[in-house]
Amino acid sequence: MPHATFQHKTTWWKEGIVYQVYPASFKDSNGDGIGDIPGIISKLDYIRDIGVDIIWVSPHFKSPQVDMGYDISDFEDIHEPYGTLEDCERLIRETHKRGMKIIFDLVINHTSDQHSWFLESRSSKDNPKRDWYFWRAPKFDEHGNRCRPNNWRSQFTKPAWTWDPLTEEYYLHVYASGQPDLNWENEECRRAIYESAIRFWLKRGVDGFRIDTVNKYSKVPGLPDAPITEPQEATQVAVCRYTNGPRIHEYLKEIKDILSGFDVMTVGELPNTPDSNEVLQYISARSGELNMVLNFDTVNLGQTPGNRFLPQPFDNLDFKNQLTKWQTLPAETDAWTTVFLENHDQGRSISRFASDLPAYRQSAAKMLATILATMTGTLFLYQGQEIGMVNAPESWSPDEYKCVRSVNYFRDICARSRNNSGSIEQARRNLQRVARDHARVPMQWDATHNAGFCDEDVQPWMSVLDVHREINVADQINTKGSVLSYWRSILALRKNYASLFVYGSFVAIEQERNLMSFLKIDERTGAKSLIVANLSRETLQFTHPDGFASEETQFLIGTHSNDAEPEWQQQVLAPFEARVYIQQG
Ligand code: TEU
Ligand code: CA
C-alpha cells in the first residue's frame, strides 16, 4: 500500500471548515428583500453550530452588481444595501468573538466600469491611468468597417471588447462589459490594487482571501487572436490567451510578500488548469504563492469547456475520478488541497451528482456529506448545502434566472434561433441543469412564505424555491436524522479524527462504477478508515477489503443507521447509502 511521504504541519486553515456566505441571499434584516451584513451577523451562532471555523463572504463591496458584486467600484466601501463599513467591521469582530475566522473575496482581475480608476482611465487617452486597463485602437477590414482588436470571446458569451465612443478605442473585459480587465503590467496599477484591495482589509483584521480567478492577471503579450475553433463564429474561446500567462507567478509572489507577517490564508480560484504541474506552481509550499486552490475538475462535469450550457455526458466513474483527482497531492508533494462540490457559480450538488427526487434527496445529501467530510484537504461548504438544498425546478421560467451569464446565454439562443420554440426549450433545460442561479436563491430558513429569508410581505430579489416547505433549517435543526444533524455529526468526527480525515493519506479502492470506496490512513498512529458510498439508485453489494472484515473494525457513522444496527455489517448498500468504518492504530 502506498504510504505518505510528506508530513504536513497542522494549521488552522488546513483543518478549518470553510462556509461560504452569499450576502444577497443569506438573510435580509431590514425588509428590502436583499440579504445584508446585519443578517449575516444574526446567523453567526447558527454557522458556528454547524461546526464551521472559517467564513468566506462573497463580495460585499461597493458595486453596480452587473455580476453580483464581482464588479467592484470601490474596494474600500460596502455595497449600500448590504450595510456600512461599520457593519462590516462588526461582522469581523462578531465572527472573531465566536472563535471563527473570516475571509473575503479578492476580485482583482478587473474592476467595475464605475470604479474611479476606470472612469479616469476612459476619460482621455493621455490620462495617467489610461494604461491601468487595456485600451486598443480599432482595426478596419477591407471595406473600412471598424473591427475589434482581436477575436476573443468573453466568459459571458459576448465579445471581450467594448467600443468606447468617448476616446474611440476598445477596452478589454474577459467577463461582462461592466468588468474591464486591469492591466497588471502597469506597476503603479498593481501597487494601487495591493493598497486598496488587500492592505485596507488586512488592517481591519480579515483572516485571508479567496482570490477570484487567480490565474488571469497575466495575458499573452500582444493579445494575439485565439485559435479558430468555431469558424462560423465571429469570436473564439480565448481562455489560452488570458490564463496562466507568463508573469502570473511574479505577480502572485508580490501578493505573497504583502501577506507575509500576517497569519492569513489564501485560496485561489483556479479555472481552466487541469494539469498538475501547472497547479503545483501555484500551491507548492516551497514557492509559497497560495495556500491552496479550488480546482474545477469536478464542477465542470457535464459542461463543455468554453460553453458551460452545452451538455456533456458523464457518469459516476467520471465523478469519482475527478473528485479524487487531487487527493494524493498532499501525500506526494508539499502542496495542500481542497474539497468542495458547491459554490455560488454552480448548480446544487445533489441535483447534479446524485438525485434530487423526494425519495432520494435526503440520502443523497448525507452520502455526499460522508464522502466530502472524510476526504483530505480543506473542506468548503456553501450556504444551504448543509440542509440539502436542490436546484430550482424544471417548471421555472427563463425570466427567473437573473445571473448575467444565464441572461446573456438565453438572449443569444433566442436571437440565433429567431425564437425557435425547440431551441428555447433546450436552453431552458440547460439553465435548469447548470445555471449559477441555483446557488443564488434565498437561503431556506423555515417553511413560511419567504422561507424566513425576508419578511412575508416583501418581494425577495430572487424567487424563493417552493421546496423550502420541505427543505429548511427550522425543520432540521433539532431533528435527529436530518441532513443538518448529519452534517454536524460528521463534521465533529472530521475534527475528532483530523489526522485521519483531514491530514490522512488517501487510497482509492477500485470498485464498480457506482460504488465509491476509499481508505484513509493516519500515518502517525496507523489508524485506518474505510469509506463506502453508493452513488446510485440501485442496491449495491460491496466487499470489505482485506483487514476490514475483522473484529477490530468499528462502524463510525453512516447515512442509514442511527447507531450500530446489525444491518451495517451486511455488505449491501441501499440507494445512496454511505458508511464509514474505522480501525484504531
Ligand atoms: O469565476 C471565475 C470563472 O471564470 C468562472 O466563471 C468559471 O469560468 C466557470 O465557473 C467555469 O465553470 C469568478 C467568480 O466566482 C464568478 O462569480 C465571477 O462571475 C467571475 O469570477 C468574475 O469575477
Ligand atoms: Ca436587506
Side-chain angles (χ1 to χ4, degrees), residues 27-37 81-82:
K27 174 73 188 161
D28 175 22
S29 74
N30 61 350
D32 63 358
I34 303 171
D36 45 55
I37 295 174
Y82 292 168

Side-chain angles (χ1 to χ4, degrees), residues 323-344:
L323 186 62
T324 58
K325 180 172 172 188
W326 305 100
Q327 279 295 287
T328 51
L329 200 72
E332 289 162 357
T333 72
D334 68 346
W336 190 243
T337 193
T338 56
V339 184
F340 74 101
L341 279 179
E342 293 191 15
N343 60 41
H344 65 292

Side-chain angles (χ1 to χ4, degrees), residues 459-471:
Q459 180 73 35
W461 77 278
M462 266 193 94
S463 293
V464 169
L465 299 188
D466 290 340
V467 77
H468 79 272
R469 296 195 183 84
E470 289 111 63
I471 305 174

Side-chain angles (χ1 to χ4, degrees), residues 349-410:
S349 55
I350 299 172
S351 303
R352 294 185 65 197
F353 304 117
S355 168
D356 58 15
L357 293 174
Y360 298 120
R361 64 187 176 220
Q362 277 221 14
S363 308
K366 295 184 200 172
M367 181 276 290
L368 293 174
T370 311
I371 298 173
L372 295 175
T374 51
M375 283 173 72
T376 303
T378 301
L379 175 58
F380 288 74
L381 287 187
Y382 181 73
Q383 68 181 45
Q385 189 176 1
E386 76 278 17
I387 55 169
M389 280 178 67
V390 296
N391 275 10
E394 303 210 347
S395 58
W396 249 35
S397 96
D399 51 68
E400 295 280 12
Y401 293 84
K402 309 284 184 232
C403 153
V404 57
R405 184 172 227 147
S406 308
V407 170
N408 286 2
Y409 162 73
F410 190 74

